């Protein structure tokens, strides 16, 4: 969605609507899946070298749990979104949908845990992680292997 800088009046330019989820152009194998339209309600302000944005963004995603690798529904809602776009010399326009796309990808939780995304959920692999943690806590010498052998050598 092209916005021309000279369209933006001093008091700001308000735009709202939806982008299709295909905006994200993600691969099936990516840890983020966009599963519905992106709603936006944004006001843009033009300054010398930047355009400033503020408004509301909402879009449904599925994010991959970093532990069990399942995809879990996640409704992203940025109720007080703000961002800036640096303008290059001579730049006359920009693509609002690309600004919004990049900010979603930056703001979505990186390597999320499914129980944090969905409080009703129990991560099927969480127990495994806990076991590994407990075992290494029980056996504090576990990772000091080479030193143990070094100590034995000293005894000879
Ligand atoms: Zn999980």
């Amino acid at each position: 969605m092209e916005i021309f800088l000279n369209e933006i009046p001093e008091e700001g330019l308000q735009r709202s609507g939806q982008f299709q989820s295909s905006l994200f152009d993600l691969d099936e194998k990516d840890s983020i899946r966009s599963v519905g339209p992106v709603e936006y309600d944004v006001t843009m302000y033009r300054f010398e070298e930047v355009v400033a944005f503020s408004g509301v963004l909402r879009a449904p995603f599925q994010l991959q749990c970093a532990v069990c690798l399942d995809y879990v529904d996640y409704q992203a809602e940025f109720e007080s979104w703000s961002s800036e776009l640096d303008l290059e010399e001579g730049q006359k326009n920009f693509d609002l949908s690309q600004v919004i796309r990049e900010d979603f990808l930056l703001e979505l939780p990186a390597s999320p845990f499914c129980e944090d995304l969905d409080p009703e959920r129990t991560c099927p692999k969480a127990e495994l992680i806990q076991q590994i943690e407990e075992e290494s806590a029980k056996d504090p010498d576990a990772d000091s292997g080479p030193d143990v052998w070094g100590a034995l050598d000293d005894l000879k």
Side-chain angles (χ1 to χ4, degrees):
M1 182 190 193
E2 291 296 301
I3 304 283
F4 284 87
L5 297 176
N6 60 15
E7 285 183 277
I8 306 177
E10 195 143 333
E11 66 272 18
L13 177 71
Q14 196 256 345
R15 285 277 183 273
S16 59
Q18 288 190 346
F19 296 121
Q20 292 310 306
S21 60
S22 55
L23 162 74
F24 286 96
D25 193 24
L26 296 166
D27 193 274
E28 268 290 284
K29 280 168 270 169
D30 280 323
S31 62
I32 298 170
R33 289 176 181 165
S34 172
V35 294
V38 178
E39 285 175 46
Y40 65 93
D41 183 353
V42 175
T43 307
M44 292 158 262
Y45 301 92
R46 188 192 166 174
F47 298 98
E48 283 278 291
E49 291 172 346
V50 294
V51 177
F53 305 88
S54 74
V56 177
L57 303 178
R58 287 193 198 98
F61 292 91
Q62 286 185 337
L63 302 182
Q64 189 176 32
C65 173
V67 178
C68 64
L69 308 182
D70 285 352
Y71 285 87
V72 177
D73 289 334
Y74 180 72
Q75 178 71 25
E77 297 194 26
F78 304 129
E79 299 293 341
S80 50
W81 176 62
S82 65
S83 189
E84 278 185 5
L85 174 74
D86 291 324
L87 296 173
E88 285 165 30
E89 223 181 294
Q91 187 170 347
K92 291 191 173 61
N93 58 338
F94 63 90
D95 186 345
L96 177 63
S97 54
Q98 287 305 318
V99 173
I100 291 176
R101 173 186 192 273
E102 277 171 35
D103 268 48
F104 264 111
L105 296 179
L106 280 175
E107 300 286 332
L108 287 172
S111 46
F113 182 42
C114 60
E115 293 184 15
D116 294 337
L117 301 177
D118 177 1
E120 309 261 290
R121 202 182 140 86
T122 307
C123 182
K125 294 280 163 68
E127 218 171 296
L128 199 73
I129 300 285
Q130 206 182 351
Q131 263 174 25
I132 293 167
E133 274 172 8
E134 272 170 19
E135 261 161 47
S136 55
K138 252 188 270 166
D139 190 0
D141 292 331
D143 7 56
S144 55
D147 286 334
V148 174
W149 293 112
L152 286 176
D153 280 343
D154 287 345
L155 289 174
K156 279 181 195 162

